[in-house]
Amino acid sequence: MSGVRMSGKEKALWYVAAVAIVVYALFPVAWIFSLSLKPASELTDNRFLPTDVTWENYRLIVSGDAADLFLPALRNSIGITLIATAIAVVMATLTAYAVSRLDFPGKKVLLTTALAVAIFPVISIVTPLFNMWRAIGLYDTWPGLIIPYLSITLPLAIWTLSAFFREIPWDMEQAAQVDGATTWQAFRKVIVPLAVPGVFTTAIIAFFIAWNDFVFGISLTSTDASRPVPAALAFFTGASQFEEPTGATSAAAVVVTIPVVVIVLVFQRRIVAGLTNGAVKG
Amino acid sequence: MATITLDHIVKKYGDGFPAVNDVSLDIKDGEFVILVGPSGCGKSTLLRMIVGLEDITDGDLTIGGTRVNDKAPRDRNLAMVFQNYALYPHLSVFENIAFPLRLAKGKHSDEEVERRVREAADLLELREHLERKPANLSGGQRQRVAMGRAIVRQADAFLFDEPLSNLDAKLRGQMRTEIARMQRRLGTTTVYVTHDQTEAMTLGDRVAVLRKGELQQVASPRELYEEPVNLFVAGFIGSPPMNFLPAQLSGTTLSLPFGDVEISADVARRAEGAEFLIAGLRPEHVEDAETLEGPRRERGTTFEVDVDVTEWLGNELYAYVPFSPDERVAAKLAELDKELDGESMRHQMVVTLDARSRVRDGDRARLWFDPASLHLFDPSTGESLTRDEERARAIQADTEEMRRQALERSREHAQAVGQGAPA
Ligand SMILES: Nc1ncnc2c1ncn2[C@@H]1O[C@H](COP(=O)(O)OP(=O)(O)O)[C@@H](O)[C@H]1O
Ligand SMILES: [Mg+2]
């Protein structure tokens, strides 16, 4: 990428703006982290930095009283989210390929329906789903959450991926076919590798949506058989009924943020890679 | 290696517009055939139908004696070089070239793939670049990788779609000779699409001229140049293009804007009835009368003109001679000009004179030409009235013989090299 030349003053301005935004965005996270390190007595001392750093809250959720609630929830969250993401990515890849490459009747309808589903308010389908899931036995099961997650991640995934596929020159695929590839081989050996950045981006978006969900998680589960972390947090209780479980909640919140941060750090290179450069004349 | 036969091929896109209309063409084994025509005339469509990327609406396509209309591209065993190269950006140059071999699973051992890719790379001088990615190569190098991918397997034919149009002029000239050399050496049937008539004239054994999806003439470059069948071909082949002048015939006397000439009784008879004609005169068939002597001058006729502008190029001199158009043929000529992607707004004749000529801007000059080199066209149909079928046949036989000899030589050469090499 060719850098835009900026004067020193302009640069300074950009830095100030960037720092301001970063601080604004990270402040709540830092606050929660700080809370998670405070002993119960200091939780309401209105100070940002803990005077006494303690890992008590983490112990509480990993092996203490809250562990019974938190550990199964963590397992559910990871399992359900990964499965939903994997299915969404595979299905979205195939669908987006069809949408961007093939001409078939109903293509427009498919795309607009997908969009409509994406913008449909989640809260309005929760109650009907609750009744339906109870009737057919999906209530409080993994599939019971995976299915609604698919319905909210798929449309976005399809739209993102078909934009990526459209960027890949047609010629590339046709060259592969002339070179002796079947349609499937051309897709697998040429299109998919080229779409890797798109696939990763889509996977991450889908993962976030499912990982962060609260509404489905709280409404469609009742036990630790399938309750995900965001929902489980609401069930944390303090040491006595007059004590808020703030410390443990904060620690749990930090723990569930870690995978998200790790994923973004690991994949950010792949996301930005401008892989199609040089495919055609340049 | 194979013959390719197109039998009344038609292509209609969704909107029903025939992009290719009733094209029949026989391509012999080992022949280098050019498809040429202005942009949008259906060249790419035709090529893509041969390779199988476009369905054939009507007609039969036969490769090596088998009808392939319904075969997938991968079952036709053809190799194609795309206009934008279509290299695989995620693969190294080596893997790009090896791609077709790797797809033919189990057919080639790893050593064989290695050997074949290195052979192709040597032929195209890509050896140092095998480990690089296409994004890091220059335009010319990418072009050669695309060719490497085409020649690495024993394809029955090579198909090129304007392979040089993304290169700069100098590189284009180099790659042109490179392609010619490679084709002679491998002796593989080749179909080459271009809109550049220099490529068409220099590369092809035969050139097929297309216009709005219809085949106009298929002939050797020499026959196209000397015996074009119609106005379109005459105007398309040659650079600078043929001059078209309004002409009026009475008896055997033809009146041109610059004077009268006598034509043969034979041609006059063919033109009978058509009062107004279009005469075609190639720029290089006109000379400065001052630079000519002796018998050559006697054969021709001279006329005086006012020269508007001249361009001296070192080896020759272009002189521009304005003339007043005849409105009865002006419309026809304007239409033709548009079809040929021309933009000549003014009526002028271009002549290519000897560089020694002393004619300069604004001069009154005495020019010479041989009336036998004049072409005449019927303005209503565009057909040539001067085409000599017998001569055309002679040229055809002659060029066919030359092609056969060249092919034989290259095969002998290949054999000699093959025997000389250690096993
Ligand atoms: N996919 C397509 N759908 C509809 N019309 C097309 C398509 N491809 C090409 N055409 C039309 O067919 C004609 C020939 O196109 P093409 O073969 O690309 O011409 P050329 O290669 O000679 O420039 C043009 O008029 C073009 O607009
Ligand atoms: Mg084209």
Side-chain angles (χ1 to χ4, degrees):
Chain A
M1 214 179 272
S2 63
V4 183
R5 295 220 166 267
M6 287 188 293
S7 68
K9 204 170 149 196
E10 261 181 313
K11 240 185 212 164
L13 268 175
W14 277 108
Y15 272 118
V16 171
V19 169
I21 291 170
V22 168
V23 168
Y24 176 78
L26 288 185
F27 188 71
V29 179
W31 192 282
I32 287 183
F33 185 61
S34 146
L35 275 180
S36 74
L37 295 176
K38 285 179 178 180
S41 56
E42 279 182 27
L43 281 173
T44 50
D45 64 359
N46 287 341
R47 281 215 301 244
F48 180 62
L49 290 176
T51 38
D52 246 355
V53 172
T54 166
W55 296 97
E56 174 59 23
N57 291 321
Y58 289 94
R59 200 195 54 74
L60 206 65
I61 57 164
V62 178
S63 57
D65 288 348
D68 288 347
L69 210 49
F70 182 68
L71 291 182
L74 194 60
R75 190 196 63 213
N76 290 336
S77 262
I78 292 174
I80 292 173
T81 308
L82 285 183
I83 293 174
T85 306
I87 298 178
V89 166
V90 171
M91 281 172 54
T93 308
L94 298 175
T95 314
Y97 177 78
V99 163
S100 61
R101 282 293 195 254
L102 312 176
D103 236 346
F104 56 91
K107 187 162 125 178
K108 271 246 162 61
V109 177
L110 186 116
L111 276 178
T112 25
T113 313
L115 197 62
V117 170
I119 60 175
F120 213 75
V122 165
I123 198 74
S124 62
I125 55 170
V126 156
T127 316
L129 263 186
F130 174 80
N131 286 329
M132 254 168 72
W133 273 195
R134 297 270 288 222
I136 59 176
L138 280 176
Y139 182 71
D140 199 23
T141 61
W142 278 23
L145 278 184
I146 291 173
I147 293 170
Y149 287 171
L150 282 180
S151 77
I152 52 175
T153 53
L154 260 180
L156 267 171
I158 291 171
W159 277 81
T160 328
L161 265 177
S162 43
F164 266 92
F165 280 137
R166 267 193 287 269
E167 292 284 298
I168 299 171
W170 244 126
D171 277 356
M172 207 84 66
E173 202 178 347
Q174 300 185 331
Q177 287 182 13
V178 175
D179 283 344
T182 59
T183 313
W184 174 245
Q185 281 174 319
F187 176 70
R188 201 164 48 84
K189 298 199 171 189
V190 177
I191 300 303
V192 171
L194 290 179
V196 160
V199 171
F200 274 103
T201 313
T202 312
I204 288 173
I205 295 174
F207 184 88
F208 287 171
I209 293 177
W211 187 254
N212 291 334
D213 162 73
F214 176 73
V215 176
F216 288 121
I218 195 110
S219 320
L220 301 179
T221 63
S222 59
T223 68
D224 55 17
S226 66
R227 185 185 292 138
V229 174
L233 290 188
F235 289 91
F236 277 18
T237 48
S240 72
Q241 90 187 80
F242 304 106
E243 209 173 303
E244 287 288 328
T246 314
T249 311
S250 307
V254 171
V255 171
V256 295
T257 311
I258 291 170
V260 174
V261 175
V262 170
I263 286 177
V264 170
L265 288 182
V266 169
F267 291 124
Q268 70 173 354
R269 284 182 168 277
R270 315 213 69 153
I271 300 172
V272 256
L275 208 56
T276 46
N277 274 355
V280 285
K281 61 161 181 159
Chain B
M1 246 136 284
T3 57
I4 301 176
T5 311
L6 285 69
D7 189 17
H8 299 287
I9 295 282
V10 177
K11 173 71 193 184
K12 288 197 176 103
Y13 280 113
D15 52 7
F17 170 80
V20 168
N21 201 356
D22 200 21
V23 168
S24 296
L25 183 59
D26 262 317
I27 301 168
K28 296 188 204 68
D29 187 19
E31 197 175 23
F32 198 144
V33 168
I34 310 279
L35 298 178
V36 72
S39 151
C41 69
K43 311 177 292 286
S44 297
T45 304
L46 194 53
L47 196 73
R48 294 164 56 81
M49 281 194 284
I50 296 176
V51 80
L53 294 173
E54 212 71 74
D55 289 335
I56 297 170
T57 310
D58 204 8
D60 292 313
L61 173 66
T62 324
I63 297 176
T66 338
R67 183 175 182 275
V68 297
N69 282 43
D70 303 318
K71 280 198 183 174
R74 77 197 137 90
D75 298 324
R76 299 193 186 186
N77 195 26
L78 305 174
M80 176 156 169
V81 175
F82 290 74
Q83 183 169 4
N84 57 19
Y85 319 143
L87 301 179
Y88 310 121
H90 57 299
L91 300 178
S92 66
V93 169
F94 184 98
E95 286 302 324
N96 259 284
I97 298 176
F99 193 80
L101 301 178
R102 300 242 192 259
L103 281 174
K105 268 220 185 66
K107 256 204 212 147
H108 312 283
S109 64
D110 279 354
E111 299 91 71
E112 199 188 344
V113 170
E114 178 88 16
R115 182 179 57 78
R116 290 236 219 145
V117 172
R118 299 224 173 256
E119 264 175 29
D122 283 345
L123 191 66
L124 294 160
E125 290 169 29
L126 282 170
R127 194 144 243 190
E128 315 80 283
H129 307 298
L130 282 176
E131 299 314 317
R132 301 174 73 190
K133 287 274 170 71
N136 305 326
L137 301 179
S138 72
Q141 287 164 344
R142 285 181 204 174
Q143 217 281 325
R144 279 181 276 150
V145 177
M147 294 214 314
R149 194 172 61 186
I151 63 173
V152 74
R153 69 199 157 107
Q154 260 87 52
D156 285 339
F158 296 149
L159 308 174
F160 292 87
D161 192 352
E162 311 211 16
L164 307 183
S165 61
N166 285 333
L167 302 179
D168 59 51
K170 184 167 168 232
L171 208 51
R172 205 178 305 152
Q174 285 170 6
M175 287 311 296
R176 199 175 64 215
T177 40
E178 207 51 54
I179 289 176
R181 191 171 297 132
M182 193 184 79
Q183 202 271 347
R184 291 284 173 263
R185 181 165 154 184
L186 301 173
T188 308
T189 314
T190 302
V191 186
Y192 185 106
V193 162
T194 180
H195 67 263
D196 179 287
Q197 58 128 336
T198 317
E199 282 170 33
M201 297 299 272
T202 52
L203 284 174
D205 295 315
R206 277 192 307 158
V207 179
V209 184
L210 278 167
R211 169 202 188 190
K212 292 182 182 165
E214 289 183 17
L215 208 52
Q216 303 293 301
Q217 185 174 6
V218 188
S220 66
R222 198 174 135 212
E223 185 183 337
L224 287 185
Y225 180 83
E226 293 181 6
E227 302 289 345
V229 295
N230 61 25
L231 266 175
F232 181 85
V233 176
F236 192 79
I237 301 293
S239 170
M242 184 185 275
N243 297 296
F244 293 120
L245 309 167
Q248 197 169 357
L249 188 66
S250 56
T252 58
T253 310
L254 193 69
S255 311
L256 295 171
F258 313 108
D260 294 351
V261 290
E262 287 297 313
I263 56 169
S264 77
D266 202 25
V267 173
R269 188 150 18 81
R270 268 194 265 173
E272 216 162 50
E275 206 178 339
F276 296 99
L277 300 172
I278 294 175
L281 182 57
R282 292 210 180 270
E284 52 276 28
H285 289 159
V286 181
E287 295 294 347
D288 181 355
E290 307 302 322
T291 60
L292 279 184
E293 305 102 29
R296 180 134 182 248
R297 183 168 175 162
E298 302 308 304
R299 262 194 290 130
T301 151
T302 64
F303 55 100
E304 290 240 330
V305 294
D306 287 315
V307 174
D308 183 13
V309 178
T310 58
E311 292 168 343
W312 189 80
L313 299 174
N315 61 333
E316 57 196 8
L317 175 106
Y318 291 166
Y320 295 85
V321 181
F323 64 85
S324 54
D326 187 306
E327 64 210 32
R328 281 160 294 205
V329 292
K332 180 81 189 170
L333 289 179
E335 178 198 330
L336 181 69
D337 191 58
K338 209 166 104 214
E339 258 180 42
L340 292 168
D341 294 338
E343 63 252 0
S344 72
M345 262 86 62
R346 51 185 80 238
H347 290 276
Q348 58 184 4
M349 176 167 81
V350 189
V351 296
T352 313
L353 306 180
D354 192 299
R356 286 170 305 160
S357 164
R358 303 197 57 78
V359 175
R360 287 297 178 270
D361 295 11
D363 270 351
R364 187 152 183 84
R366 176 157 286 276
L367 301 182
W368 168 98
F369 75 93
D370 180 357
S373 69
L374 206 59
H375 296 260
L376 279 180
F377 303 93
D378 180 339
S380 54
T381 61
E383 305 269 322
S384 169
L385 300 167
T386 37
R387 182 175 149 91
D388 184 341
E389 293 296 342
E390 212 163 295
R391 231 185 120 243
R393 263 195 299 278
I395 295 174
Q396 206 174 330
D398 193 32
T399 46
E400 177 55 32
E401 176 62 20
M402 289 198 294
R403 180 185 88 90
R404 208 184 46 72
Q405 284 175 4
L407 205 61
E408 221 161 71
R409 270 198 303 276
S410 87
R411 284 200 177 139
E412 269 166 28
H413 180 74
Q415 237 166 28
V417 170
Q419 282 166 358

